Amino acid sequence: CQEEVHTWTFCSEEINGSLTLQRGPSTLGPMRQLFSKSTCAVVGDTEAMDAARYVANLLLMTGHGQMPLLLASEVLDTDGRLSPPSVCESLLVLGTGAYN
């Protein structure tokens, strides 16, 4: 947060009277929250697989870990709900609703 013309500090949890629930030093931001735990990508189509592979390769090349890629058909239970392996603490679901 900018306090004066050339002075910046960490923002508090409250900015202009409202809480910042998604972004801030304590929450790490939405994308960092996703990748702060063991994350798996769930994909439903070829285009989504390309995007998931890109993110997985990026995580591997930067030394931030690995991200297993799972097909939607592999992680759906008999009722059609997501039921990923227990190693997946967070999910990155890619693809259209027609496939996922």
Side-chain angles (χ1 to χ4, degrees), residues 49-69:
M49 181 60 83
D50 291 342
R53 189 177 298 119
Y54 177 82
V55 174
N57 287 339
L58 182 66
L59 289 171
L60 187 63
M61 289 187 311
T62 58
H64 292 292
Q66 59 184 7
M67 181 175 69
L69 306 180

Side-chain angles (χ1 to χ4, degrees), residues 42-45 48 70-73 75-76 80 82 93-100:
V42 177
V43 297
D45 57 23
L70 307 169
L71 295 174
S73 59
V75 297
L76 294 177
L82 284 173
V93 180
L94 299 165
T96 65
Y99 297 104
N100 290 323

Side-chain angles (χ1 to χ4, degrees), residues 2 6 10 23 27 31 36-38 41-42 53 56 61 64-65 67 70-71 73 79 81 91 95 97-98:
Q2 188 174 13
H6 298 288
F10 280 107
R23 295 183 182 203
T27 62
M31 285 302 285
S36 68
K37 298 179 180 177
S38 172
V42 177
R53 189 177 298 119
M61 289 187 311
H64 292 292
M67 181 175 69
L70 307 169
L71 295 174
S73 59
D79 295 324
R81 293 181 298 227
L91 293 177

